[in-house]
Amino acid sequence: DAGVTQSPTHLIKTRGQQVTLRCSPKSGHDTVSWYQQALGQGPQFIFQYYEEEERQRGNFPDRFSGHQFPNYSSELNVNALLLGDSALYLCASTLLQGARGYTFGSGTRLTVV
Amino acid sequence: AQSVSQHNHHVILSEAASLELGCNYSYGGTVNLFWYVQYPGQHLQLLLKYFSGDPLVKGIKGFEAEFIKSKFSFNLRKPSVQWSDTAEYFCAVNEGSGTYKYIFGTGTRLKVLA
């Protein structure tokens, strides 16, 4: 059990559509980060949410947006999907933005056709 | 931009062989260093981490890693691998100065033959 819950596990979308991915952090954690893992690559940082605000962002276009709710859960939204957005999207949680060891979820596999 | 290099993309070993996976990073300042493992069909799990102090850190399942600052390296080692160590291993670096993102290497796929 990862402790971090992501839904859905798999998703197929058409180019141009919009998608929302969801994450519930590990119990006791209040900070959520999102990563994109393309096939054969390591995870790449998208952004981090803490206290319902985006605190840091990686090199991803504005099509990628997020939200954190008062219960610390989070959503990742991707608009105008491109074929290149096909990847495993990982959610990671920690406490107080602590960078000293995130707990990762099992991910959502997004396929854009 | 900071980068993390894992030079071994695929490694095949027999059981009981020794393992060393390389990890080099490019950032010159204070860093926090991590090794994560991803078993087939499972989530990323933390193997070990280094923040400061003794550069030789021990993790779970008999793994250890050595931080060599002068070489910008954080290599992962295990004296004797088991079939159950078959997995993908990722090195990750955090700059540790008010930034929260991890920068991951591209991973090393380890296959251990029984």
Side-chain angles (χ1 to χ4, degrees), chain A residues 15-47:
Chain A
R15 192 170 40 180
Q17 284 188 316
Q18 179 263 342
V19 68
T20 297
L21 310 181
R22 294 176 175 82
C23 172
S24 293
K26 181 178 178 179
S27 178
H29 286 181
D30 59 6
T31 304
V32 172
S33 294
W34 287 91
Y35 285 79
Q36 180 195 67
Q37 187 176 11
L39 205 59
Q41 301 295 319
Q44 289 199 353
F45 177 78
I46 303 175
F47 42 53

Short mmCIF file of all heavy atoms in Angstrom, two decimals, chain A residues 15-47:
data_model
loop_
_atom_site.label_atom_id
_atom_site.label_comp_id
_atom_site.label_asym_id
_atom_site.label_seq_id
_atom_site.Cartn_x
_atom_site.Cartn_y
_atom_site.Cartn_z
N ARG A 15 -6.78 13.58 -28.43
CA ARG A 15 -6.04 14.84 -28.60
C ARG A 15 -7.01 16.03 -28.58
O ARG A 15 -8.06 15.98 -29.22
CB ARG A 15 -5.29 14.78 -29.93
CG ARG A 15 -4.27 15.86 -30.14
CD ARG A 15 -3.44 15.56 -31.37
NE ARG A 15 -4.24 15.01 -32.47
CZ ARG A 15 -3.74 14.67 -33.64
NH1 ARG A 15 -2.45 14.79 -33.86
NH2 ARG A 15 -4.52 14.19 -34.58
N GLY A 16 -6.64 17.08 -27.82
CA GLY A 16 -7.48 18.26 -27.72
C GLY A 16 -8.42 18.27 -26.53
O GLY A 16 -8.92 19.34 -26.14
N GLN A 17 -8.64 17.10 -25.96
CA GLN A 17 -9.53 17.03 -24.80
C GLN A 17 -8.84 17.53 -23.53
O GLN A 17 -7.64 17.84 -23.51
CB GLN A 17 -10.01 15.58 -24.58
CG GLN A 17 -11.07 15.13 -25.56
CD GLN A 17 -11.65 13.77 -25.18
OE1 GLN A 17 -10.90 12.84 -24.83
NE2 GLN A 17 -12.97 13.64 -25.24
N GLN A 18 -9.61 17.56 -22.47
CA GLN A 18 -9.10 17.97 -21.17
C GLN A 18 -9.21 16.76 -20.21
O GLN A 18 -10.07 15.90 -20.38
CB GLN A 18 -9.94 19.14 -20.64
CG GLN A 18 -9.54 19.64 -19.27
CD GLN A 18 -10.38 19.06 -18.15
OE1 GLN A 18 -11.46 18.53 -18.39
NE2 GLN A 18 -9.88 19.14 -16.94
N VAL A 19 -8.30 16.72 -19.23
CA VAL A 19 -8.32 15.59 -18.30
C VAL A 19 -8.06 16.10 -16.88
O VAL A 19 -7.36 17.10 -16.68
CB VAL A 19 -7.26 14.53 -18.68
CG1 VAL A 19 -5.85 15.06 -18.49
CG2 VAL A 19 -7.45 13.24 -17.91
N THR A 20 -8.66 15.42 -15.91
CA THR A 20 -8.42 15.73 -14.50
C THR A 20 -8.00 14.46 -13.79
O THR A 20 -8.68 13.43 -13.87
CB THR A 20 -9.69 16.27 -13.83
OG1 THR A 20 -10.05 17.51 -14.46
CG2 THR A 20 -9.45 16.53 -12.35
N LEU A 21 -6.88 14.54 -13.12
CA LEU A 21 -6.36 13.42 -12.34
C LEU A 21 -6.43 13.79 -10.86
O LEU A 21 -6.26 14.96 -10.50
CB LEU A 21 -4.91 13.12 -12.73
CG LEU A 21 -4.62 12.97 -14.23
CD1 LEU A 21 -3.15 12.64 -14.45
CD2 LEU A 21 -5.51 11.93 -14.86
N ARG A 22 -6.66 12.79 -10.01
CA ARG A 22 -6.88 13.06 -8.60
C ARG A 22 -5.89 12.34 -7.71
O ARG A 22 -5.40 11.25 -8.05
CB ARG A 22 -8.31 12.69 -8.23
CG ARG A 22 -9.34 13.56 -8.92
CD ARG A 22 -10.77 13.16 -8.64
NE ARG A 22 -11.70 14.11 -9.25
CZ ARG A 22 -12.07 14.08 -10.53
NH1 ARG A 22 -11.60 13.14 -11.34
NH2 ARG A 22 -12.91 14.98 -10.99
N CYS A 23 -5.63 12.95 -6.55
CA CYS A 23 -4.65 12.40 -5.62
C CYS A 23 -5.08 12.67 -4.19
O CYS A 23 -5.45 13.80 -3.84
CB CYS A 23 -3.29 13.05 -5.88
SG CYS A 23 -2.03 12.65 -4.65
N SER A 24 -5.03 11.64 -3.37
CA SER A 24 -5.22 11.79 -1.93
C SER A 24 -3.89 11.49 -1.26
O SER A 24 -3.33 10.39 -1.44
CB SER A 24 -6.28 10.82 -1.42
OG SER A 24 -7.54 11.16 -1.93
N PRO A 25 -3.36 12.44 -0.50
CA PRO A 25 -2.03 12.22 0.09
C PRO A 25 -2.07 11.19 1.21
O PRO A 25 -3.13 10.82 1.70
CB PRO A 25 -1.67 13.60 0.64
CG PRO A 25 -2.99 14.25 0.91
CD PRO A 25 -3.91 13.74 -0.15
N LYS A 26 -0.90 10.75 1.59
CA LYS A 26 -0.77 9.85 2.73
C LYS A 26 -1.31 10.54 3.97
O LYS A 26 -1.18 11.76 4.12
CB LYS A 26 0.71 9.50 2.91
CG LYS A 26 0.99 8.54 4.05
CD LYS A 26 2.48 8.22 4.11
CE LYS A 26 2.79 7.32 5.28
NZ LYS A 26 4.22 6.97 5.36
N SER A 27 -1.93 9.77 4.85
CA SER A 27 -2.48 10.31 6.07
C SER A 27 -1.40 11.06 6.85
O SER A 27 -0.30 10.55 7.06
CB SER A 27 -3.04 9.16 6.92
OG SER A 27 -3.55 9.66 8.14
N GLY A 28 -1.72 12.30 7.26
CA GLY A 28 -0.75 13.10 8.00
C GLY A 28 0.06 14.04 7.13
O GLY A 28 0.75 14.92 7.66
N HIS A 29 0.01 13.83 5.83
CA HIS A 29 0.75 14.71 4.91
C HIS A 29 -0.13 15.85 4.45
O HIS A 29 -1.34 15.69 4.29
CB HIS A 29 1.25 13.92 3.70
CG HIS A 29 2.41 13.02 4.02
ND1 HIS A 29 3.02 12.24 3.05
CD2 HIS A 29 3.08 12.79 5.16
CE1 HIS A 29 4.01 11.57 3.59
NE2 HIS A 29 4.06 11.88 4.89
N ASP A 30 0.50 17.02 4.18
CA ASP A 30 -0.27 18.18 3.78
C ASP A 30 0.22 18.82 2.49
O ASP A 30 -0.30 19.85 2.07
CB ASP A 30 -0.24 19.23 4.90
CG ASP A 30 1.17 19.68 5.25
OD1 ASP A 30 2.14 19.27 4.57
OD2 ASP A 30 1.31 20.46 6.22
N THR A 31 1.23 18.23 1.89
CA THR A 31 1.86 18.80 0.70
C THR A 31 1.83 17.77 -0.41
O THR A 31 2.14 16.59 -0.17
CB THR A 31 3.32 19.17 1.00
OG1 THR A 31 3.36 20.06 2.11
CG2 THR A 31 3.98 19.82 -0.21
N VAL A 32 1.46 18.23 -1.60
CA VAL A 32 1.35 17.33 -2.74
C VAL A 32 2.16 17.86 -3.91
O VAL A 32 2.08 19.05 -4.25
CB VAL A 32 -0.13 17.16 -3.17
CG1 VAL A 32 -0.22 16.38 -4.48
CG2 VAL A 32 -0.92 16.44 -2.09
N SER A 33 2.94 16.98 -4.51
CA SER A 33 3.67 17.31 -5.74
C SER A 33 3.21 16.37 -6.84
O SER A 33 2.85 15.23 -6.58
CB SER A 33 5.17 17.16 -5.54
OG SER A 33 5.67 18.12 -4.63
N TRP A 34 3.28 16.86 -8.06
CA TRP A 34 2.93 16.07 -9.23
C TRP A 34 4.14 15.92 -10.14
O TRP A 34 4.90 16.88 -10.34
CB TRP A 34 1.79 16.72 -10.01
CG TRP A 34 0.45 16.64 -9.35
CD1 TRP A 34 -0.10 17.53 -8.49
CD2 TRP A 34 -0.51 15.58 -9.51
NE1 TRP A 34 -1.36 17.10 -8.10
CE2 TRP A 34 -1.63 15.91 -8.71
CE3 TRP A 34 -0.54 14.40 -10.25
CZ2 TRP A 34 -2.77 15.10 -8.63
CZ3 TRP A 34 -1.66 13.59 -10.18
CH2 TRP A 34 -2.76 13.95 -9.38
N TYR A 35 4.29 14.72 -10.68
CA TYR A 35 5.39 14.43 -11.59
C TYR A 35 4.84 13.73 -12.83
O TYR A 35 3.85 13.00 -12.75
CB TYR A 35 6.41 13.48 -10.93
CG TYR A 35 7.29 14.15 -9.90
CD1 TYR A 35 6.82 14.39 -8.61
CD2 TYR A 35 8.59 14.54 -10.22
CE1 TYR A 35 7.63 15.01 -7.67
CE2 TYR A 35 9.41 15.15 -9.27
CZ TYR A 35 8.92 15.38 -8.01
OH TYR A 35 9.73 15.99 -7.08
N GLN A 36 5.51 13.96 -13.96
CA GLN A 36 5.20 13.26 -15.19
C GLN A 36 6.35 12.32 -15.52
O GLN A 36 7.51 12.73 -15.52
CB GLN A 36 5.04 14.26 -16.34
CG GLN A 36 4.70 13.61 -17.69
CD GLN A 36 4.92 14.58 -18.85
OE1 GLN A 36 6.04 14.97 -19.14
NE2 GLN A 36 3.84 14.96 -19.51
N GLN A 37 6.03 11.05 -15.76
CA GLN A 37 7.06 10.07 -16.12
C GLN A 37 6.76 9.52 -17.50
O GLN A 37 5.88 8.67 -17.66
CB GLN A 37 7.14 8.95 -15.09
CG GLN A 37 8.30 8.00 -15.34
CD GLN A 37 8.45 6.94 -14.26
OE1 GLN A 37 7.57 6.75 -13.41
NE2 GLN A 37 9.56 6.24 -14.27
N ALA A 38 7.49 10.00 -18.49
CA ALA A 38 7.34 9.46 -19.84
C ALA A 38 8.04 8.11 -19.91
O ALA A 38 8.90 7.79 -19.09
CB ALA A 38 7.94 10.44 -20.84
N LEU A 39 7.68 7.34 -20.91
CA LEU A 39 8.23 5.99 -21.07
C LEU A 39 9.75 6.05 -21.19
O LEU A 39 10.29 6.81 -21.99
CB LEU A 39 7.62 5.35 -22.31
CG LEU A 39 7.59 3.83 -22.34
CD1 LEU A 39 6.79 3.27 -21.16
CD2 LEU A 39 7.01 3.33 -23.65
N GLY A 40 10.42 5.28 -20.35
CA GLY A 40 11.87 5.22 -20.43
C GLY A 40 12.59 6.38 -19.78
O GLY A 40 13.82 6.49 -19.88
N GLN A 41 11.86 7.23 -19.10
CA GLN A 41 12.46 8.41 -18.47
C GLN A 41 12.21 8.39 -16.97
O GLN A 41 11.34 7.68 -16.48
CB GLN A 41 11.86 9.69 -19.06
CG GLN A 41 12.05 9.83 -20.56
CD GLN A 41 13.51 9.98 -20.93
OE1 GLN A 41 14.28 10.67 -20.26
NE2 GLN A 41 13.91 9.28 -21.98
N GLY A 42 12.94 9.23 -16.27
CA GLY A 42 12.66 9.43 -14.86
C GLY A 42 11.53 10.44 -14.69
O GLY A 42 11.22 11.19 -15.61
N PRO A 43 10.92 10.45 -13.53
CA PRO A 43 9.85 11.43 -13.28
C PRO A 43 10.35 12.87 -13.41
O PRO A 43 11.47 13.17 -13.01
CB PRO A 43 9.42 11.13 -11.85
CG PRO A 43 9.84 9.71 -11.61
CD PRO A 43 11.11 9.55 -12.40
N GLN A 44 9.49 13.74 -13.96
CA GLN A 44 9.81 15.16 -14.07
C GLN A 44 8.80 15.96 -13.28
O GLN A 44 7.59 15.75 -13.41
CB GLN A 44 9.79 15.60 -15.54
CG GLN A 44 10.95 15.05 -16.35
CD GLN A 44 11.18 15.84 -17.62
OE1 GLN A 44 10.41 16.73 -17.97
NE2 GLN A 44 12.24 15.51 -18.33
N PHE A 45 9.31 16.90 -12.49
CA PHE A 45 8.50 17.71 -11.59
C PHE A 45 7.58 18.64 -12.36
O PHE A 45 8.04 19.40 -13.22
CB PHE A 45 9.44 18.50 -10.68
CG PHE A 45 8.77 19.44 -9.73
CD1 PHE A 45 8.18 18.96 -8.56
CD2 PHE A 45 8.76 20.80 -9.97
CE1 PHE A 45 7.59 19.84 -7.66
CE2 PHE A 45 8.17 21.68 -9.08
CZ PHE A 45 7.58 21.19 -7.92
N ILE A 46 6.28 18.60 -12.02
CA ILE A 46 5.32 19.52 -12.65
C ILE A 46 5.09 20.71 -11.73
O ILE A 46 5.32 21.85 -12.12
CB ILE A 46 3.99 18.81 -12.96
CG1 ILE A 46 4.23 17.59 -13.86
CG2 ILE A 46 3.01 19.79 -13.61
CD1 ILE A 46 2.97 16.76 -14.12
N PHE A 47 4.59 20.44 -10.53
CA PHE A 47 4.40 21.50 -9.53
C PHE A 47 4.11 20.90 -8.16
O PHE A 47 3.89 19.70 -8.02
CB PHE A 47 3.30 22.50 -9.89
CG PHE A 47 2.03 21.92 -10.48
CD1 PHE A 47 1.34 20.91 -9.86
CD2 PHE A 47 1.54 22.43 -11.67
CE1 PHE A 47 0.18 20.40 -10.40
CE2 PHE A 47 0.38 21.94 -12.23
CZ PHE A 47 -0.30 20.92 -11.60
#
